Amino acid sequence: MVRLKNRYLLVNILYPELEDRQGRAKVPDVVEFNQPTTDAFTAGSLLKGLRAEIASMFGDYGSGAVAESMTVKYLSSATSTFILRVSRAHYRIAWAALSLMTSVPVKDGEGKNCVFRVVRVSGTIRKAEEEAIRRARELILKARREIGEKSNSTLDDIFGGATEGNIRPENTKEKDILMVDRSDSEEENEDDSDGDG
């Protein structure tokens, strides 16, 4: 029996065009740059937009190469983060298409201008999860440092009262923070290397 090998791409959606801030509370640039994505952004619309981009860049070859293996394993509109699973042989096709996408593909309308940044390529979904959690914590701490301690109430409103020492409740495990489809239990034992082994 042949084991299918996949790669998991952890992707952040960034919004480099800052909106007009008049009449709103001062929000740190790091938060504005990493703002939440619209709720109309779904896994289906992401796959549809990504497949269209792959077809325009790589034609029938690219579409056929990733057709069976490409799925969204995790999608968070709140953190503008998703984990995409693609076969190991063709993950660079998906990565290239993501790098050239310029707007969030949403149903019934044009999405906002954005940048899709692949921040981690992993052989296991567990490593991608750990990186997503680490980056979320880092973003909270960076925003806290940027706004300073004098305006702590604004960040409490944004992040729901998390403090630097206690980012998550005591009774919450890391697995509860990031809920991911774990139907690929075989891949958890793979290493992160790009080798053929």
Side-chain angles (χ1 to χ4, degrees), residues 4-8 69 85-88 122-123 187 190:
L4 300 175
K5 299 205 176 184
N6 296 304
R7 288 290 174 252
Y8 295 88
S69 65
R85 184 189 76 186
V86 186
S87 68
R88 184 175 72 176
S122 176
E187 286 85 10
E190 287 184 44

Side-chain angles (χ1 to χ4, degrees), residues 35-48:
Q35 61 184 284
T37 305
T38 178
D39 290 334
F41 181 57
T42 63
S45 64
L46 172 64
L47 285 175
K48 185 177 179 181

Side-chain angles (χ1 to χ4, degrees), residues 36-179:
T37 305
T38 178
D39 290 334
F41 181 57
T42 63
S45 64
L46 172 64
L47 285 175
K48 185 177 179 181
L50 187 54
R51 285 186 177 126
E53 188 70 28
I54 289 171
S56 70
M57 287 178 57
F58 298 102
D60 291 339
Y61 168 76
S63 295
V66 299
E68 292 293 319
S69 65
M70 192 168 60
T71 58
V72 176
K73 300 307 275 179
Y74 169 75
L75 174 67
S76 172
S77 296
T79 60
S80 297
T81 303
F82 62 92
I83 297 175
L84 185 72
R85 184 189 76 186
V86 186
S87 68
R88 184 175 72 176
H90 302 106
Y91 79 92
R92 288 179 183 94
I93 292 173
W95 189 344
L98 281 168
S99 297
L100 295 175
M101 287 178 68
T102 58
S103 66
V104 176
V106 293
K107 289 182 180 177
D108 304 328
E110 186 69 26
K112 288 171 54 172
N113 288 340
C114 67
V115 174
F116 291 87
R117 183 175 69 165
V118 177
V119 294
R120 172 83 185 225
V121 177
S122 176
T124 65
I125 197 166
R126 178 172 291 156
K127 291 293 184 180
E129 288 174 346
E130 290 171 1
E131 181 68 13
I133 292 168
R134 187 190 69 76
R135 286 184 166 274
R137 286 182 181 159
E138 187 177 283
L139 178 66
I140 290 170
L141 295 177
K142 189 182 288 185
R144 282 201 175 275
R145 281 191 301 269
E146 190 172 312
I147 201 166
E149 293 300 323
K150 59 186 172 205
S151 301
N152 202 16
S153 63
T154 304
L155 277 178
D156 288 342
D157 294 340
I158 294 170
F159 295 118
T163 62
E164 188 169 332
N166 183 16
I167 294 174
R168 60 190 165 98
E170 292 296 323
N171 59 355
T172 304
K173 298 178 184 174
E174 285 186 0
K175 292 179 182 176
D176 295 337
I177 294 172
L178 184 65
M179 303 303 282

